[in-house]
Amino acid sequence: MFNSQKNILVIDYQIGNVSSVINAVKKLGYKVKLSNKKDDFNKASHLILPGVGSFEVGMANIIKLGIKDIIIDYVRNKKIPILGICLGMQLFATEGYENAKGHENKTVTKGLNLIEGEVIKLKSKSEKLPHIGWNTVYFKKKNQLNKDLEPNRDFYFVHSYCFKCKNDSEVLGTTNYGSTFTSIIKKNNIYGMQFHPEKSLDKGLTLLKNFLEINA
């Protein structure tokens, strides 16, 4: 039976790896729809921006579909809770350096700027990229997102870039892979996870459920 109080919108910006997120939300008992239509934003109690891929392509698709301003409006002004997963979290940043020739090169891709920061390549001399597999997330503080979870649990990652927050107070969790990087972010109604909760077994589903139980 679905939770009739919630309508979960997985934002369709024509990038892969969304079916596992949709299936996880259904498994938790919530109504979920994959869409980029304004009418479906109007009905949504929660937004999820998933994805694996390029920062540049992700933002280009969002702009091409005409949903950049819609996402920002519903998150900032209407205060709808949003969860970014992997690339989705990175797109919350001010800008991304994924396709720049170097950090000094200012030809960068502008992000949604929902949380101030930049997306940069993982710094690791000892570990291979991409970072694929299970790794520990160290929760910096207790929050509604990680309730009912023991601290320092393992989750599943697939990425080569990470979110460097401008404000440390918006970092909720960190992970070490050759160096320490941000793995969970939060600002008001905006949440992001660098790892994949939908692929992280029961503890990942607990995190996802905790987000879906947050009220606007």
Side-chain angles (χ1 to χ4, degrees):
M1 181 178 293
F2 286 119
N3 184 327
S4 60
Q5 303 288 311
K6 311 278 185 177
N7 287 297
I8 316 306
L9 176 63
V10 176
I11 301 171
D12 181 10
Y13 61 114
Q14 298 177 356
I15 205 154
N17 197 53
V18 297
S19 60
S20 56
V21 174
I22 292 169
N23 290 336
V25 174
K26 286 181 178 178
K27 184 175 181 179
L28 289 168
Y30 297 89
K31 293 185 292 184
V32 59
K33 187 168 188 177
L34 175 68
S35 175
N36 52 41
K37 305 302 181 187
K38 182 74 177 289
D39 285 348
D40 291 316
F41 276 86
N42 286 335
K43 300 171 187 174
S45 64
H46 293 70
L47 305 173
I48 298 178
L49 188 67
V52 171
S54 160
F55 190 103
E56 183 180 45
V57 172
M59 280 308 304
N61 287 1
I62 285 172
I63 292 168
K64 179 181 69 176
L65 291 164
I67 58 174
K68 179 182 176 182
D69 290 342
I70 294 174
I71 294 171
I72 292 171
D73 178 46
Y74 275 74
V75 173
R76 281 193 179 155
N77 300 324
K78 295 181 171 65
K79 306 299 182 185
I80 301 299
I82 188 170
L83 173 64
I85 298 174
C86 195
L87 175 61
M89 165 178 150
Q90 294 178 1
L91 295 176
F92 290 166
T94 308
E95 56 193 15
Y97 285 81
E98 186 168 352
N99 295 293
K101 294 179 181 178
H103 194 83
E104 295 76 20
N105 187 314
K106 296 305 178 183
T107 306
V108 299
T109 303
K110 297 297 183 182
L112 295 169
N113 197 30
L114 291 171
I115 294 184
E116 288 185 283
E118 56 189 16
V119 173
I120 60 174
K121 195 165 189 177
L122 275 171
K123 296 178 181 178
S124 179
K125 294 181 180 179
S126 58
E127 306 288 355
K128 294 181 179 179
L129 295 179
H131 171 207
I132 300 176
W134 295 84
N135 208 335
T136 304
V137 172
Y138 299 93
F139 297 108
K140 294 184 66 177
K141 61 189 84 169
K142 199 68 179 174
N143 183 274
Q144 188 171 353
L145 192 67
N146 58 25
K147 71 176 184 177
D148 302 324
L149 275 175
E150 296 176 7
N152 310 335
R153 301 309 302 264
D154 285 359
F155 296 91
Y156 188 79
F157 290 82
V158 183
H159 66 121
S160 297
Y161 289 78
C162 61
F163 195 124
K164 183 180 178 183
C165 276
K166 181 178 180 180
N167 301 308
D168 188 62
S169 62
E170 293 163 358
V171 178
L172 193 60
T174 62
T175 297
N176 188 277
Y177 186 75
S179 62
T180 299
F181 66 89
T182 298
S183 49
I184 306 180
I185 56 176
K186 177 192 180 302
K187 179 181 180 181
N188 301 324
N189 55 313
I190 305 163
Y191 298 80
M193 303 176 190
Q194 182 59 66
F195 53 89
H196 291 269
E198 77 282 7
K199 296 183 179 180
S200 298
L201 305 178
D202 290 347
K203 52 190 172 292
L205 290 179
T206 297
L207 270 182
L208 189 56
K209 186 176 189 300
N210 286 346
F211 166 74
L212 296 176
E213 288 301 313
I214 293 169
N215 294 316

